[in-house]
Amino acid sequence: MTSEPSNGQCEGSGEAQDRLPPDDIARRLRLALDVSKIGVFDADLETGRVKRDAVLMQIFGYGDEAHEDEGDVLERTLHPEDRDRTWVTIDAGIASGEPFYNAFRIIRPDGEVRYIRSRSVTFSDSKGHRRLLGANWDATDDVMLQQNLEQARALAESRYTALESAWREIERRALQDQLTGLSNRHALLLHLDKLFSEPAPHIHPRPCPRPCPRHAVLQIDLSRFKEINDTLGHQAGDAAILCVAGRLEALREEKECLARIGGNEFALVLDAGDRSENATHLATKIVQSLEQPIPCEGHLFRCGVSVGLAWTSDDVDGPQALINAATALSAAKARKGGGTVLFTEEFDGRNRAIRQTADDILRGIDEDAFIPFYQLQFDAKTLDVCGAEALARWRHPLQGILTPDRFLKIAEDIDVMWRIDRSLAEKACADFLRWRNNGSGVDRLSINVSVRRLIDPHLISAFPTKDLPKGTFVFEMLESIFLDVLDDDMAKAIDRIRKAGIAIEIDDFGTGHASVLGLTTLQPKRLKIDRALIAPMTRGDRHRRLIAAIIEMGHALEIEIIAEGVETTAQVQLLQDMGCDVLQGFALARPMDAEAVEAFLRARKRARRPSL
Ligand code: C2E
Ligand code: CA
Ligand code: CA
């Protein structure tokens, strides 16, 4: 208690309490203890008797009366697991003479377990007895809350760990080829990206300082793999791929990235330094290793190996080097016998030109620069116009009208040919419907359809087939897209086309792999004999006999025959004599734009005679 004079401003200050009578202080203390639910005990260490107040008795579960006992209430109520530890703490606290803390569990008479906290201190009373005075309070709710929080934290932690390992697994799978366990294309691209940036601690990768280390990138392709799948089945094909992956793995060094980037295509990125500088030597070793027979289902299988090789440099980053290696690989594959081809400047120039054309094509699409030209088709008997084939043309801003050989392949490679085809189909339909309504004699419109477009479910919606006779629209398809057995997607596509009343024609017949069996399955309306077979027919009997045989076979299968690339009146005459049904070629009409077609048709109407 303070004995300093007070300034008297503070209600309830120490000075105010000083002036209270001792009974008041005791009452207030009692009230405070009751409110705080703290129980008090007072143990005479000489006699062993312990007084416990009503709150303490309540906490211990023995009713709500103060109690005096021989000290056995605690002993009786202590949780057996905590008993020894609790007495040790009490004994030590008494021995020290200092205030001490204790924490233990009790089991109440009704069986309920409670968590008790206690603070006690020893002192000597006026009789000279040593006594232990202490306060106990029930901390069960706090302990439970703490335990629940702990459990929740442990649960959250274990969920996080599970999530983290699932995420790592997903990441691993996303970067791995499932069959071989090698990196996949995505992982390869990440690896290549990193080549041109160097990791810095704790921050994002930064651009690589020049000069950049030179890395060699190899792309490896195995030919004849399809044969294993076709003849021995996919399981055998998989086993062969695993064997190849193992051989390549043996040639890889620790930090290098080996990836499977296609069914039978692999890529290897070499370390900078000696490994990359001697990459041609390694490429030769790869070819030699993979050319060794591959054991497969009891057979020994040999495949052709092609390798494309390119390097990164200050100006060629990792992803570009991969594209360059692919270009070199295409050249290697095109060479008889495969082997290794290095990417050179010449390729680079060609690549740049292709990229430029691709950009121009995309701009052309945006500017609606692709238009249909039409080549008219003629009934072989009467030489009357009977149809028209729509042919794509590119109205190039600098080079004028360009034919498909200047853009078709690149448009297909960058996957935009379907956009060109779609816009052509719209324009061609509009022109054709106008001609039909004018009674100009153009009764059919033929459209060239690629496989990619054929299986597009929206293809047919571009053609207003509903109110027109069946066969008014014709899809020309290259014979090479049909195999003997139509696969599922193709069969569905063909079905949709037939149901829409669109006729099917086989284009370029005689150059691809169509078989008679394929023809009977597909039952096309017409065959177009390729102009490569028509051109030599006036030169010899053998060629003529081949054409005659095709016409005869077609008719036997109830398929009409169109001759393409008819360039001379002699060819017209011969084909008429052979019973060919339709003629198309420069001898009769060249491909023209819509306006020229209309002028041509008007002129014919005036002359009322075939324009031969
Ligand atoms: P194709 O379907 O065989 O088209 C016939 C090609 O032969 C056309 O070339 C045409 O100009 C040419 N031709 C016609 N008569 C004669 C002739 O008497 N002599 C000679 N030497 N040639 C003749 P074009 O227009 O350059 O088309 C080439 C190929 O491009 C087409 O061959 C076709 O496969 C493809 N193509 C054309 N337009 C499209 C299209 O809109 N979409 C798609 N996917 N492919 C198309
Ligand atoms: Ca065609
Ligand atoms: Ca053709």
Side-chain angles (χ1 to χ4, degrees):
M1 303 260 172
T2 176
S3 58
E4 276 176 20
S6 158
N7 58 14
Q9 286 177 349
C10 184
E11 195 185 353
S13 69
E15 190 200 7
Q17 278 183 15
D18 272 355
R19 281 194 233 107
L20 288 173
D23 275 0
D24 252 16
I25 297 175
R27 217 175 26 249
R28 286 189 176 202
L29 202 58
R30 183 70 260 159
L31 196 68
L33 286 170
D34 283 351
V35 169
S36 61
K37 296 243 186 315
I38 293 176
V40 175
F41 68 87
D42 181 353
D44 187 325
L45 300 178
E46 312 296 327
T47 62
R49 291 200 65 80
V50 183
K51 287 181 194 160
R52 303 174 202 274
D53 70 359
V55 179
L56 188 66
M57 291 310 280
Q58 260 174 17
I59 292 173
F60 276 53
Y62 292 103
D64 47 12
E65 295 280 324
H67 184 76
E68 186 169 344
D69 59 73
E70 297 294 329
D72 52 339
V73 166
L74 178 64
E75 173 64 17
R76 234 186 306 140
T77 324
L78 264 176
H79 194 296
E81 285 175 15
D82 295 353
R83 190 171 289 137
D84 292 348
R85 185 176 48 77
T86 306
W87 285 120
V88 167
T89 309
I90 292 172
D91 290 345
I94 291 170
S96 75
E98 297 293 324
F100 64 94
Y101 175 80
N102 214 345
F104 50 86
R105 285 170 297 170
I106 57 168
I107 303 177
R108 285 178 173 175
D110 62 4
E112 196 180 341
V113 175
R114 307 296 293 180
Y115 291 78
I116 307 299
R117 301 287 180 260
S118 143
R119 276 197 82 79
S120 317
V121 67
T122 50
F123 69 98
S124 294
D125 64 12
S126 52
K127 290 185 212 154
H129 286 193
R130 290 195 72 214
R131 279 163 56 180
L132 179 68
L133 187 68
N136 284 4
W137 63 97
D138 186 336
T140 307
D141 291 347
D142 288 349
V143 171
M144 285 301 162
L145 185 68
Q146 193 62 33
Q147 276 181 0
N148 287 345
L149 284 174
E150 190 56 37
Q151 269 172 8
R153 194 188 59 79
L155 189 68
E157 215 162 65
S158 76
R159 284 201 182 137
Y160 178 76
T161 315
L163 206 69
E164 215 184 14
S165 70
W167 181 245
R168 263 199 298 274
E169 178 63 14
I170 289 168
E171 245 181 1
R172 191 183 62 76
R173 279 170 184 244
L175 295 174
Q176 207 178 46
D177 172 53
Q178 292 306 302
L179 174 62
T180 58
L182 300 180
S183 297
N184 61 15
R185 182 180 280 276
H186 183 55
L188 172 74
L189 289 173
L190 288 178
H191 181 88
L192 288 168
D193 267 341
K194 273 194 234 139
L195 293 184
F196 254 48
S197 56
E198 59 168 20
H202 312 309
I203 49 171
H204 294 299
R206 55 180 181 221
C208 187
R210 309 273 156 138
C212 290
R214 220 165 86 100
H215 289 269
V217 180
L218 294 97
Q219 269 207 42
I220 304 141
D221 179 273
L222 302 157
S223 61
R224 298 190 53 223
F225 243 81
K226 195 171 170 304
E227 276 173 43
I228 303 186
N229 280 332
D230 289 351
T231 54
L232 301 175
H234 281 277
Q235 235 172 331
D238 286 355
I241 287 287
L242 280 170
C243 170
V244 168
R247 287 184 191 175
L248 287 172
E249 186 72 347
L251 293 167
R252 178 181 78 100
E253 292 217 329
E254 203 188 324
K255 276 183 278 157
E256 295 176 345
C257 177
L258 172 63
R260 180 171 176 230
I261 54 173
N264 48 352
E265 246 179 59
F266 296 83
L268 177 60
V269 182
L270 301 184
D271 262 352
D274 283 354
R275 283 284 286 177
S276 284
E277 296 316 314
N278 300 326
T280 41
H281 178 60
L282 182 72
T284 312
K285 270 170 96 174
I286 288 175
V287 173
Q288 283 166 354
S289 165
L290 300 187
E291 274 178 352
Q292 295 306 309
I294 297 169
C296 199
E297 306 255 306
H299 301 260
L300 279 179
F301 188 84
R302 280 179 191 278
C303 57
V305 186
S306 305
V307 179
L309 178 51
W311 281 266
T312 63
S313 69
D314 284 0
D315 306 317
V316 179
D317 62 10
Q320 183 58 49
L322 182 69
I323 295 171
N324 293 351
T327 308
L329 177 64
S330 302
K333 275 159 72 174
R335 258 179 12 184
K336 226 176 165 200
T340 306
V341 168
L342 312 187
F343 184 83
T344 59
E345 301 236 316
E346 178 204 335
F347 283 121
D348 207 18
R350 212 183 311 159
N351 263 359
R352 233 173 281 144
I354 290 173
R355 273 204 298 275
Q356 178 65 48
T357 310
D359 286 348
D360 290 351
I361 289 173
L362 291 173
R363 200 168 323 114
I365 292 174
D366 288 343
E367 291 169 359
D368 209 18
F370 290 90
I371 54 163
F373 263 39
Y374 301 94
Q375 188 171 30
L376 294 170
Q377 297 174 332
F378 298 81
D379 182 310
K381 284 197 195 81
T382 61
L383 290 185
D384 285 338
V385 172
C386 58
E389 176 180 4
L391 296 163
R393 293 293 182 266
W394 179 8
R395 207 197 297 266
H396 194 281
L398 301 174
Q399 300 173 44
I401 299 286
L402 300 183
T403 46
D405 56 313
R406 300 287 299 278
F407 59 86
L408 197 122
K409 168 128 195 356
I410 297 173
E412 261 165 5
D413 285 350
I414 57 171
D415 201 21
V416 294
M417 194 57 209
W418 61 274
R419 289 178 63 189
I420 297 177
D421 278 346
R422 198 172 55 185
S423 110
L424 285 188
E426 265 173 36
K427 292 178 185 133
C429 281
D431 288 337
F432 169 67
L433 291 179
R434 203 171 55 247
W435 299 335
R436 257 190 80 88
N437 293 341
N438 293 347
S440 59
V442 186
D443 294 330
R444 281 199 304 266
L445 176 70
S446 301
I447 302 282
N448 291 285
V449 178
S450 60
V451 201
R452 168 85 168 65
R453 185 126 196 277
L454 180 71
I455 53 178
D456 171 5
H458 306 296
L459 167 67
I460 289 161
S461 58
F463 300 93
T465 50
K466 266 208 184 117
D467 303 320
L468 296 173
K470 273 189 164 196
T472 301
F473 290 102
V474 179
F475 285 172
E476 292 189 15
M477 301 169 204
L478 291 180
E479 58 169 331
S480 52
I481 68 178
F482 303 105
L483 301 171
D484 280 355
V485 183
L486 297 173
D487 79 14
D488 230 29
D489 284 348
M490 183 77 89
K492 278 188 203 141
I494 301 288
D495 199 43
R496 279 197 297 270
I497 292 168
R498 280 199 206 294
K499 284 203 176 112
I502 295 172
I504 292 172
E505 276 178 20
I506 304 277
D507 204 356
D508 295 358
F509 186 78
T511 57
H513 307 281
S515 66
V516 177
L517 183 61
L519 287 181
T520 51
T521 320
L522 185 70
Q523 294 182 311
K525 178 78 180 150
R526 295 178 201 89
L527 285 185
K528 293 184 86 169
I529 306 177
D530 192 72
R531 64 170 182 272
L533 297 182
I534 301 294
M537 68 180 291
T538 42
R539 273 188 250 136
D541 202 34
R542 231 160 49 94
H543 299 291
R544 272 199 295 279
R545 279 209 304 273
L546 176 63
I547 303 291
I550 294 175
I551 294 172
E552 202 174 318
M553 176 203 69
H555 287 172
L557 295 171
E558 296 178 350
I559 299 171
E560 288 175 29
I561 305 293
I562 303 184
E564 262 197 314
V566 182
E567 289 186 343
T568 64
T569 33
Q571 286 168 351
V572 172
Q573 190 68 57
L574 270 172
L575 287 160
Q576 283 176 320
D577 293 347
M578 286 176 184
C580 184
D581 302 285
V582 178
L583 306 179
Q584 179 181 347
F586 292 171
L588 299 146
R590 288 188 171 254
M592 307 171 254
D593 65 13
E595 216 176 300
V597 169
E598 281 161 30
F600 181 93
L601 293 171
R602 275 197 303 275
R604 270 179 74 92
K605 226 176 192 174
R606 275 199 298 274
R608 290 214 177 133
R609 301 201 54 192
S611 63
L612 260 178

